[in-house]
Amino acid sequence: MKLIDTKDAVGHILCHDITQIIPGVTKDAAFRKGHIVREEDIPVLLSMGKDHLYIWEKGETRLHENEAAEILRSMCQNQWMEPTPVKEGKIDLIAQCDGLLLVDVERLRKVNELGEMMIATRASGIPVKKGEKLAGTRIIPLVIEQEKMEHARQVAGDAPLLTLIPFKPKKAGVITTGNEVFHGRIQDSFTPVIERKLAEYGSVMTEHVILDDDHTKITQAIHDMHAAGVDLIICTGGMSVDPDDKTPLAIRNSGANIISYGAPVLPGAMFLLSYLPSGVPVMGLPGCVMYSKRTIFDLVLPLVLAEQPVSQEQLAALGHGGLCMDCPVCIWPNCGFGKGV
């Protein structure tokens, strides 16, 4: 700290709060610790009886917390995010669109391990809405060595630590399977659920058929929907090991590359993900998607709608955090489901 005349304080950094008292009106900090004194602040400070101030001696090799926060922000931001104004050394990043948030967790960890600085983010792989907060950045002390911030840049690398990928509206084809639905023994209550979940991301069902448990018909329907130009094919029902459940066989016979039949997620263990040679995803959804609030389908659908290829390794990793607690009030994605670290 250094004691200086208030009249000479322009451009210097306050190292303590300065409280202004106006009887019957206010008693609050007029200037906060870390504030950079401006020309227009001088008359106000003098009117408060502050003829001298304690200021930080920043020096040429150190950065103020606001400057350092801007560096951390630049390490995180991609083109679909906007920063809040810097305040008390903190900057938040806000989503400019609905999309999928991806975080390079390993590089983020390396930056946070450096100490004296922090970047806190939402969990990677979740869908976010326009206007939602994605991350917050700040340094811990009031000033920091410029060399340390440059080292942080090197550790972070050239690519942003966060990536927000806008969702792309898709046309989906839905194949409802099951003798019980085909013959009218029960009402199809699966398809409305799929339509509602697609609508959450601006996508629509443009093709729909109801078929019995004949695997050749299901395979042909997959080919027909692909020819019709849908972006995504969803098969509902017929995913268990019962002898009448033929959907996995039908998907395999369509020529799709099976990424995984089965996923370490509850609800949703009997989920199937595959891709046709053209790249169109074909999913087989187990019955739990019809009645459970959130399932494996909710974890994979955002990736598909952001056009992110899903691997068997990614699905296997969902086991940690893959147990939905079926809470009375569902707050997903703002919970631990699907976000093991």
Side-chain angles (χ1 to χ4, degrees):
M1 292 189 299
K2 180 180 180 181
L3 181 67
I4 65 171
D5 288 338
T6 298
K7 294 178 181 179
D8 300 325
V10 174
H12 290 282
I13 305 166
L14 295 177
C15 63
H16 59 91
D17 293 347
I18 297 178
T19 301
Q20 183 179 41
I21 302 175
I22 302 176
V25 178
T26 183
K27 181 183 178 182
D28 196 10
F31 300 96
R32 297 285 185 185
K33 174 183 176 181
H35 176 74
I36 301 176
V37 180
R38 302 163 298 176
E39 187 71 44
E40 58 266 33
D41 297 333
I42 302 302
V44 180
L45 288 163
L46 293 173
S47 72
M48 296 167 61
K50 303 300 180 183
D51 293 318
H52 298 86
L53 299 171
Y54 282 115
I55 55 92
W56 285 97
E57 294 183 275
K58 187 177 73 167
E60 295 182 359
T61 64
R62 286 186 286 181
L63 298 174
H64 180 257
E65 61 179 353
N66 289 352
E67 298 171 297
E70 287 287 359
I71 292 174
L72 293 174
R73 185 271 313 158
S74 69
M75 290 158 47
C76 296
Q77 182 180 355
N78 86 337
Q79 69 267 35
W80 297 104
M81 308 171 192
E82 60 181 355
T84 60
V86 61
K87 182 179 181 182
E88 298 178 352
K90 179 183 176 185
I91 299 176
D92 293 331
L93 287 174
I94 308 299
Q96 288 186 298
C97 64
D98 293 359
L100 177 74
L101 176 66
L102 298 177
V103 180
D104 192 314
V105 177
E106 182 60 23
R107 287 194 294 136
L108 174 67
R109 180 186 61 79
K110 289 180 178 179
V111 171
N112 282 327
E113 283 180 345
L114 297 176
E116 295 192 296
M117 64 190 73
M118 57 78 61
I119 302 169
T121 76
R122 302 274 296 276
S124 184
I126 66 168
V128 298
K129 297 286 188 181
K130 180 179 180 180
E132 289 186 348
K133 186 187 299 186
L134 306 178
T137 69
R138 72 174 306 157
I139 62 167
I140 307 306
L142 186 61
V143 293
I144 192 169
E145 292 295 329
Q146 184 171 347
E147 182 180 1
K148 188 152 192 175
M149 296 309 301
E150 290 302 321
H151 180 53
R153 285 185 193 270
Q154 295 173 7
V155 170
D158 296 330
L161 296 175
L162 278 66
T163 304
L164 181 58
I165 305 171
F167 290 125
K168 300 171 179 63
K170 301 292 186 184
K171 298 181 296 182
V174 177
I175 302 171
T176 302
T177 69
N179 291 332
E180 67 279 16
V181 178
F182 181 76
H183 293 293
R185 299 168 191 158
I186 64 170
Q187 184 178 359
D188 175 19
S189 55
F190 211 143
T191 303
V193 172
I194 302 304
E195 289 186 281
R196 186 173 68 252
K197 289 184 180 291
L198 289 170
E200 291 180 16
Y201 303 99
S203 295
V204 295
M205 180 182 73
T206 59
E207 302 286 333
H208 181 223
V209 294
I210 299 176
L211 300 175
D212 59 9
D213 292 310
D214 183 330
H215 68 87
T216 60
K217 293 179 182 178
I218 300 170
T219 298
Q220 186 59 50
I222 293 172
H223 290 154
D224 292 343
M225 289 188 173
H226 182 244
V230 299
D231 305 302
L232 167 65
I233 299 172
I234 300 170
C235 301
T236 69
M239 292 301 301
S240 77
V241 294
D242 291 344
D244 290 328
D245 288 345
K246 306 294 186 181
T247 302
L249 173 62
I251 294 174
R252 186 173 290 107
N253 289 345
S254 73
N257 176 36
I258 307 297
I259 302 301
S260 181
Y261 177 27
V265 175
L266 291 173
M270 304 303 290
F271 172 76
L272 186 152
L273 176 66
S274 65
Y275 291 90
L276 292 171
S278 63
V280 171
V282 181
M283 297 187 199
L285 303 186
C288 61
V289 177
M290 177 171 47
Y291 54 81
S292 296
K293 297 186 189 79
R294 296 294 175 179
T295 68
I296 180 66
F297 185 50
D298 297 285
L299 304 182
V300 175
L301 183 61
L303 294 166
V304 170
L305 297 183
E307 298 183 350
Q308 296 298 295
V310 181
S311 67
Q312 196 278 332
E313 290 77 14
Q314 284 176 283
L315 292 174
L318 291 175
H320 183 205
L323 179 63
C324 177
M325 299 305 293
D326 193 25
C327 302
V329 177
C330 180
I331 60 170
W332 187 87
N334 299 317
C335 70
F337 180 51
K339 293 188 283 293
V341 294

